[in-house]
């Protein structure tokens, strides 16, 4: 199965996904695409020998449907079976999510359904939560909703700053996403629950 990975920045999750598909695996990376031309993940993907593409959202000046049509054109040229959002920071409309319905995954840095949207770590600390984590889910038209494939949990420590918690969660993202993708690509829908 071919996997297209969408990023906007450093692509640390993308790197772990690509590394996990080297060797015996039901999937292989066919594209790494970024909406940011200067995304560090693009260089990393090229170094790993994965085809890359840039579709900058700015020339489309808020015309989401034109931007998404271009995304779909570039992505579908590689005919992926699965699309993985990995630190992709653009909101996608139901046109895009519908086009990849049932075969698009996302990793979100909270224990969904808590803390959809942004600033998840600051919100969990602010709420006085004692644990946080990350979720891999199928992407549907609703933001950060959709069937959950797996979660990983970490403790929130008393002196945690959002950055300290983000780093702890990111380490678990790098464990969870590759395992969730492997199961999804193999047609295995048993839910993953990882403890630190
Ligand atoms: C991180 O905050 C991660 O929690 C979220 O996207 C951000 C960047 O991830 N998934 P990456 O390093 O670009 O994969």
């Amino acid at each position: 199965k071919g996997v297209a990975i969408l990023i906007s920045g450093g692509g640390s999750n993308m790197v772990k996904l690509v590394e996990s598909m080297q060797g015996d695996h039901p999937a292989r990376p066919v594209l790494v695409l970024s909406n940011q031309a200067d995304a560090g993940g693009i260089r990393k993907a090229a170094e790993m020998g994965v085809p890359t593409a840039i579709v900058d959202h700015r020339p489309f000046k808020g015309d989401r449907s034109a931007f998404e049509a271009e995304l779909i054109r570039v992505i579908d040229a590689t005919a992926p079976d699965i699309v993985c959002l990995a630190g992709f920071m653009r909101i996608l409309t139901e046109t895009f999510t519908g086009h990849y319905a049932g075969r698009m995954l996302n990793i979100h840095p909270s224990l969904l359904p808590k803390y959809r949207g942004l600033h998840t770590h600051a919100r969990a600390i602010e709420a006085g939560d004692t644990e946080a984590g990350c979720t891999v889910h199928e992407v549907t038209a609703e933001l950060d909703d959709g069937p959950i494939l797996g979660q990983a949990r970490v403790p929130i420590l008393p002196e945690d700053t959002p950055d300290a918690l983000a780093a702890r969660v990111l380490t678990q993202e790098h464990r969870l996403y590759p395992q969730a993708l492997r199961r999804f690509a193999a047609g295995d829908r048993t839910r993953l629950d990882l403890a630190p």
Side-chain angles (χ1 to χ4, degrees):
K1 288 192 172 18
V3 177
I5 306 172
L6 273 54
I7 67 170
S8 295
S12 71
N13 276 290
M14 173 277 297
V15 169
K16 297 298 182 184
L17 290 175
V18 170
E19 288 175 350
S20 74
M21 289 184 268
Q22 289 157 0
D24 177 30
H25 193 286
R28 57 185 172 75
V30 295
L31 178 68
V32 171
L33 180 151
S34 175
N35 66 301
Q36 297 279 4
D38 60 351
I42 289 296
R43 182 176 40 74
K44 294 175 195 167
E47 286 168 1
M48 291 188 288
V50 182
T52 63
I54 309 284
V55 178
D56 188 337
H57 60 280
R58 289 167 300 186
F60 297 94
K61 292 185 178 39
D63 182 345
R64 281 189 193 283
S65 60
F67 170 56
E68 292 184 351
E70 180 62 6
L71 280 180
I72 289 170
R73 188 186 68 78
V74 173
I75 292 166
D76 285 359
T78 68
D81 301 287
I82 300 168
V83 175
C84 287
L85 306 180
F88 187 71
M89 301 308 278
R90 303 301 297 171
I91 298 290
L92 296 163
T93 73
E94 59 192 3
T95 303
F96 191 90
T97 61
H99 184 79
Y100 296 110
R103 57 193 179 111
M104 179 155 63
L105 307 184
N106 181 45
I107 188 154
H108 179 76
S110 80
L111 293 172
L112 291 174
K114 293 182 81 170
Y115 312 124
R116 292 186 173 90
L118 297 174
H119 313 302
T120 59
H121 306 302
R123 289 157 64 192
I125 292 168
E126 186 60 35
D129 291 359
T130 56
E131 73 170 7
C134 50
T135 303
V136 174
H137 63 95
E138 282 188 43
V139 177
T140 58
E142 293 301 312
L143 182 70
D144 299 329
D145 197 40
I148 290 177
L149 278 72
Q151 296 192 309
R153 297 171 185 284
V154 300
I156 298 180
L157 304 178
E159 302 311 311
D160 265 343
T161 61
D163 284 353
L165 180 54
R168 192 174 309 124
V169 171
L170 193 60
T171 301
Q172 296 304 315
E173 292 179 37
H174 296 164
R175 291 178 64 213
L176 176 67
Y177 213 169
Q179 292 186 48
L181 173 60
R182 176 184 283 273
R183 287 191 178 188
F184 188 79
D188 177 353
R189 291 291 180 273
T190 50
R191 180 169 161 153
L192 267 166
D193 272 294
L194 305 183

